[in-house]
Amino acid sequence: MSARARSLSNTPARSATRQSGFSLIEVSMALVLLGAMSLGALQVQQFQQTVAGGRQAGLRLAELRDGVARYVRDHSAELLKVQAAPQSTCANVALSLAPSTGTPPPKDCELKATAGGKPLAVNALQPSLQELQDLGYVTFSDTLPFPHGTTIVDGRTGEIARARWAVSVKCKAKCLTVDGQRPAATFEVMLYNTQPFFAQADLPFGYGAQLKAALQALGPDAMVSLPGESPRVAAQLRGKGALPVDNPLRGDSADTGVPGVLASFRLIHLDGGATTAGVACGVPTGATGRGASGSACLDGSAKLTGRWDFNGHGLVGVDDLEAAKAKIAGTLQVDDTVHANGGLVVRHPQGGRRTQQGAGASRDVVDPVIDIHGHAVVRKRLIVGHNSPWDFAGQDQDGMSLSGVLMTSNGYIDTASGQAGGPGFDSRLNGIRIPRRDPDTPCNAQDVNPRTSGGNIALYQPHRGQQVYVMACNREGKWVKATGG
């Protein structure tokens, strides 16, 4: 074979080799795209987890707050005595950026079960969550949920403050006690972080959404000094619909605070007052007329005694709603599952029918009483029509009973596609049962009223015969044997 022939014989193979497969550039581009998609999906998942972590932090802080409120109510008399001691500093929070030599709380701050006994709390007005846990008021620990700094000095020890949730209790009003009488004081109760959240210069991804989720879960008691605020702005904590309160973490100069503090602030009225700063509660409003019942308290110390009218405003952020009866005049939208354990009754005001005018004529239209945009699964029996029997022939648990008309529009009834084979298959439970009719009995093939119509097809089997005939409804309204044409 010549060199030219050998060259020609080898050319197609080399050409085919060059045309098959992928180039390195194509593979690289595919890997880059795949990596970008994976990174995007990972960031979305990370963001969702971050927000969920913020909401969980707010819910935990709310539960800690409720436990502290119970502690204040149970030990209110002792707390008032501690604060009323001469020159008492037990309520002072000693956390700031300024250095300190350290001044431990005096013995007068202790909460003791009995005289001379072991103290239940080193400082009754600032109990640790571990002490409250030992007393059975809280279950969660004092661990902080978000990244934090280490810049705050504890004035009680002179060292860097341990990062934790801390408690502050102060009497605000009616702080004098009378022997033999129940205290009627108003306490300020605050839970807060002892080291600032998100103190680093490079804030983490999604921190804003995480903090917002925590504030929303905490509810109206939430107060905050946002990360990145100036020290003067951060001198006070602010909340939605509440008056500002002093930031427990002070700056290194007067009238300054530390940004990055998340707190729960609540007023505890032993005589039934407001739980939100600056808002009167549990006090008659002077209003008269239908529904006038004064105001209620979040902690349940003052309850509603009449109808509560929201004047057209919405009720949002409800985690769990218990009601003996609810009447909704508009639309009920549920994003999750509806459980009707006692049954679900749906009624249309006009019975589901109305008259529609148009083009000089009127026609009856049917409004959907239940409009299902998806799959409807009935796990037991489906009863259609108020005259349908509950006990009907067929399966003991499953089936459908219909007393009325089943109409199909642009569709059909298929009883064969879902049939299964195998040893457990019973052909008697699949298929269609056609009614039996005798010749010359009345029928009406056009009417849709089940009282006058027997359909347009039936079966007939003589009493002593084996033959089975197909019956049809003729124009005279009589059942006759159908004949092929």
Side-chain angles (χ1 to χ4, degrees):
M1 181 183 295
S2 64
R4 177 176 175 82
R6 288 195 301 272
S7 177
L8 290 174
S9 64
N10 293 334
T11 298
R14 289 198 301 271
S15 177
T17 302
R18 287 195 301 270
Q19 294 176 359
S20 62
F22 298 96
S23 67
L24 291 178
I25 295 179
E26 292 172 325
V27 173
S28 300
M29 290 180 63
L31 291 176
V32 170
L33 292 174
L34 181 60
M37 293 172 62
S38 300
L39 180 60
L42 182 62
Q43 286 184 333
V44 170
Q45 183 181 9
Q46 181 182 357
F47 179 80
Q48 293 174 342
Q49 292 175 348
T50 299
V51 172
R55 183 177 184 276
Q56 189 66 27
L59 293 175
R60 287 198 171 198
L61 185 57
E63 186 164 337
L64 292 173
R65 169 203 63 198
D66 295 340
V68 176
R70 292 191 294 271
Y71 162 80
V72 172
R73 291 187 177 279
D74 290 347
H75 299 279
S76 57
E78 295 90 334
L79 300 182
L80 292 175
K81 291 179 181 179
V82 169
Q83 183 164 329
Q87 300 179 343
S88 174
T89 60
C90 302
N92 298 343
V93 178
L95 296 172
S96 69
L97 294 175
S100 173
T101 57
T103 304
K107 290 289 185 179
D108 293 341
C109 296
E110 292 180 348
L111 175 67
K112 297 181 179 180
T114 57
K118 181 181 177 181
L120 302 178
V122 175
N123 188 342
L125 299 179
Q126 298 184 58
S128 68
L129 289 184
Q130 181 60 56
E131 292 170 336
L132 295 179
Q133 198 174 46
D134 294 339
L135 293 173
Y137 289 106
V138 300
T139 56
F140 295 121
S141 67
D142 58 6
T143 304
L144 296 181
F146 306 139
H148 55 79
T150 55
T151 56
I152 301 300
V153 177
D154 187 348
R156 301 294 188 184
T157 63
E159 301 176 352
I160 297 296
R162 186 173 71 86
R164 61 185 178 92
W165 289 120
V167 178
S168 171
V169 180
K170 296 179 182 179
C171 182
K172 178 180 176 63
K174 302 179 182 179
C175 301
L176 296 178
T177 60
V178 178
D179 292 339
Q181 295 185 9
R182 181 178 180 271
T186 298
F187 286 93
E188 294 180 343
V189 178
M190 179 184 291
L191 276 84
Y192 61 94
N193 48 299
T194 59
Q195 291 291 350
F197 288 134
F198 309 113
Q200 62 271 39
D202 187 14
L203 295 174
F205 172 73
Y207 85 95
Q210 188 177 46
L211 189 58
K212 180 180 179 180
L215 293 171
Q216 290 177 339
L218 187 55
D221 296 344
M223 308 290 281
V224 66
S225 63
L226 296 174
E229 288 182 341
S230 68
R232 291 198 175 275
V233 174
Q236 289 187 314
L237 305 181
R238 299 171 303 283
K240 186 176 181 180
L243 297 177
V245 297
D246 290 337
N247 190 339
L249 304 189
R250 310 307 299 170
D252 51 10
S253 60
D255 299 326
T256 61
V258 178
V261 176
L262 171 63
S264 168
F265 182 84
R266 171 177 286 190
L267 297 182
I268 302 296
H269 292 254
L270 300 183
D271 58 351
T275 56
T276 303
V279 180
C281 176
V283 182
T285 60
T288 59
R290 181 184 179 188
S293 61
S295 42
C297 290
L298 184 64
D299 59 4
S301 56
K303 302 182 184 299
L304 288 172
T305 59
R307 179 174 173 267
W308 197 350
D309 190 346
F310 281 84
N311 194 27
H313 296 282
L315 185 64
V316 298
V318 180
D319 181 64
D320 188 8
L321 179 63
E322 295 185 11
K325 183 172 63 174
K327 181 180 179 181
I328 301 175
T331 302
L332 175 63
Q333 179 177 341
V334 181
D335 294 332
D336 206 333
T337 305
V338 176
H339 294 277
N341 296 327
L344 180 64
V345 180
V346 182
R347 292 187 178 94
H348 192 279
Q350 289 83 34
R353 290 180 175 271
R354 59 185 174 87
T355 302
Q356 186 180 62
Q357 303 290 340
S362 62
R363 66 188 184 94
D364 289 339
V365 295
V366 178
D367 288 332
V369 179
I370 298 180
D371 192 358
I372 302 175
H373 294 263
H375 298 289
V377 179
V378 180
R379 301 187 183 278
K380 295 296 181 182
R381 300 179 182 182
L382 177 61
I383 311 297
V384 181
H386 68 281
N387 289 325
S388 296
W390 174 254
D391 295 324
F392 54 90
Q395 296 298 297
D396 293 336
Q397 297 296 329
D398 305 327
M400 174 178 175
S401 177
L402 172 68
S403 63
V405 178
L406 177 63
M407 300 183 66
T408 61
S409 177
N410 297 325
Y412 57 89
I413 299 175
D414 186 355
T415 64
S417 298
Q419 293 183 3
F425 173 70
D426 189 345
S427 60
R428 297 173 299 175
L429 304 180
N430 291 265
I432 297 177
R433 291 187 178 182
I434 300 176
R436 295 171 180 261
R437 295 291 183 267
D438 292 331
D440 296 326
T441 54
C443 64
N444 191 329
Q446 282 73 41
D447 202 344
V448 295
N449 187 344
R451 294 182 175 87
T452 60
S453 175
N456 57 8
I457 188 173
L459 296 179
Y460 168 65
Q461 184 177 15
H463 180 66
R464 295 185 178 278
Q466 297 296 325
Q467 297 88 353
V468 177
Y469 300 93
V470 176
M471 306 295 290
C473 187
N474 66 9
R475 295 179 180 178
E476 286 75 26
K478 300 290 185 179
W479 286 108
V480 296
K481 296 179 181 179
T483 58

